[in-house]
């Protein structure tokens, strides 16, 4: 792997009159075989995590790799 980064934030919903911005913080982001991978280590998939996972796919087209 190349270009390993830890605790990388992604803005899911921008700050607005309704509240502060909502972020997802990936455990790891790296490049493997010329493809950027966003990876998260999960023990329990909480409802909040499931929502943020969906928002990552909707906003950025990123499917989170779970380990």
């Amino acid at each position: 792997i190349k270009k390993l980064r830890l605790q990388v934030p992604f803005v899911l919903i921008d700050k607005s009159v309704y509240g502060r911005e909502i972020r997802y913080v990936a455990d790891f982001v790296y490049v493997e075989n010329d493809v950027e991978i966003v990876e998260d280590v999960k023990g329990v998939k909480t409802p909040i995590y499931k929502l943020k996972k969906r928002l990552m796919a909707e906003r950025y087209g990123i499917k989170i790799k779970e380990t």
Side-chain angles (χ1 to χ4, degrees):
I1 65 172
K2 298 184 261 182
K3 299 183 181 180
L4 176 64
R5 295 180 287 152
L6 307 175
Q7 301 296 306
V8 180
F10 292 85
V11 175
L12 299 174
I13 300 175
D14 295 318
K15 180 180 174 181
S16 72
V17 296
Y18 300 105
R20 60 186 173 88
E21 72 180 14
I22 296 173
R23 294 182 183 186
Y24 163 71
V25 179
D27 290 335
F28 309 100
V29 176
Y30 55 90
V31 175
E32 182 175 49
N33 300 322
D34 296 323
V35 177
E36 185 174 71
I37 306 292
V38 176
E39 187 170 333
D40 202 286
V41 178
K42 281 287 169 232
V44 176
K45 295 178 188 173
T46 65
I48 297 293
Y49 169 73
K50 290 177 184 178
L51 177 61
K52 288 183 176 186
K53 179 181 173 181
R54 163 88 188 273
L55 290 169
M56 281 289 286
E58 294 284 346
R59 181 159 186 180
Y60 297 105
I62 294 173
K63 183 176 178 184
I64 298 170
K65 178 179 178 181
E66 299 169 339
T67 55

